[in-house]
Amino acid sequence: GYRPNTSEPWIAELALEKDPRGYLVVDGNMETSRRGVFAVGDVANPGHPCIATAIGSGTMAARRIQQLLARQHVPRS
């Protein structure tokens, strides 16, 4: 079966919210319970833990990160 690999010490240090099965809880943009921390792939997708969905969710996260970074960068006049 599939099990999320979310018990690593570095993940525990982030204190991210997990569901009862151990998957990281993410929003529609793949952002975790900790602002600015994103998770994709088998650790965040209990319904379809495969490469294809990991690529798709990675794209969603990358687009959101780009939006956040664009807001922080204000061109100088």
Side-chain angles (χ1 to χ4, degrees), residues 8-69:
E8 294 291 325
W10 67 272
I11 293 177
E13 290 176 17
L14 293 172
L16 304 173
E17 181 182 354
K18 297 179 189 176
D19 73 9
R21 295 179 292 167
Y23 289 91
L24 298 177
V25 175
V26 294
D27 66 11
N29 293 312
M30 307 310 295
E31 192 166 12
T32 66
S33 57
R34 179 168 275 224
R35 188 175 172 188
V37 177
F38 294 79
V40 301
D42 62 340
V43 298
N45 192 339
H48 303 284
C50 66
I51 292 172
T53 56
I55 292 169
S57 60
T59 301
M60 291 167 42
R63 287 182 179 168
R64 179 63 179 152
I65 292 166
Q66 179 191 24
Q67 291 171 349
L68 294 173
L69 291 174

